[in-house]
Amino acid sequence: MKAKDRLIVALDVDSRDEAMAIVRDVGAHCGLFKVGMQLHNSAGFSVTEEIMALGYPVFLDLKFHDIPNTVGKAASVVSRRGVKMFTVHAAGGQEMLRRAVQGAQEAQKAQGSGTAGVPLVLAITVLTSLSQGVLNDEVGYGGTVEENVVRFARLAQAAGVPGVVASPREIEPIRAACGDDFVIVTPGVRPTWAATNDQARVMTPAEAMEAGASYLVVGRPITAAPDRAEAARRVAEEMAEGLARRVK
């Protein structure tokens, strides 16, 4: 897989027109587009379908977190719609996670597309905006960020979830705990030439890929750039540098 195929561009915008302009600008320079709550709640599922109709895979980041039955049915719905990846919160517990995987698998089986068409279920560990102090003092979790991320990753893996979303700072301990085949999708990535914005635990694209990330999610450094295509190319180049160092 080429470095650019591991780049997920986040469409964190308010409208279908804004999103599709970004898709047109950078579609040739990335692997997937992320549709999150902001765009989904503004434009509905139709924008995801429009992106997929152009041949681009979609990472649907709605972070399902509810009772197991509800999450399982939601997983089935989005799987039938053809998304490549979607997210659930690991904090929902093992049964909820298990039902999400089952919902995805059963939806694809019903459509006759086999296991190759099953979307990648990803468990949210600790949001990249959360610092150590916020995690302990406000959210109320004991232990370090790293300890909580690894605990959630192990929980997800035990439930049959094939991967997690985690900051680049926790890639290496997740790899050590869950193995080389476990998928790690990494937001909180900022090139040296971009601002960190509201991310608390960041790395450069090269550092994150060298550390063992499977995919990187990048938003504003690309979508807010004067030349989006050039920004995406620069990020992919940095990712390729990190991958080259990782395989040596």
Side-chain angles (χ1 to χ4, degrees), residues 4 12-13 17 33 47-49 61 64 69 88 97 110-111 113-114 130 140 151 155 165-166 195 213 217 228 231 239:
K4 83 173 188 66
D12 293 331
V13 294
D17 289 345
F33 287 100
V47 71
T48 290
E49 293 177 324
D61 185 25
F64 298 144
N69 184 64
V88 298
L97 294 169
Q111 292 182 317
S113 54
L130 296 184
R151 176 170 58 84
L155 176 71
V165 178
V217 179
R228 293 168 177 154
M239 293 170 64

Side-chain angles (χ1 to χ4, degrees), residues 77-93:
V77 169
V78 299
S79 299
R80 289 198 303 270
R81 304 294 281 272
V83 301
K84 182 74 171 179
M85 307 172 177
F86 68 90
T87 50
V88 298
H89 267 288

Side-chain angles (χ1 to χ4, degrees), residues 124-158:
I124 301 294
T125 55
V126 176
L127 297 174
T128 54
S129 59
L130 296 184
S131 65
Q132 184 67 61
V134 170
L135 184 71
N136 295 151
D137 301 335
E138 297 180 21
V139 180
Y141 286 179
T144 66
V145 169
E146 180 178 309
E147 288 168 346
N148 280 280
V149 169
V150 171
R151 176 170 58 84
F152 280 134
R154 289 184 183 276
L155 176 71
Q157 189 175 47

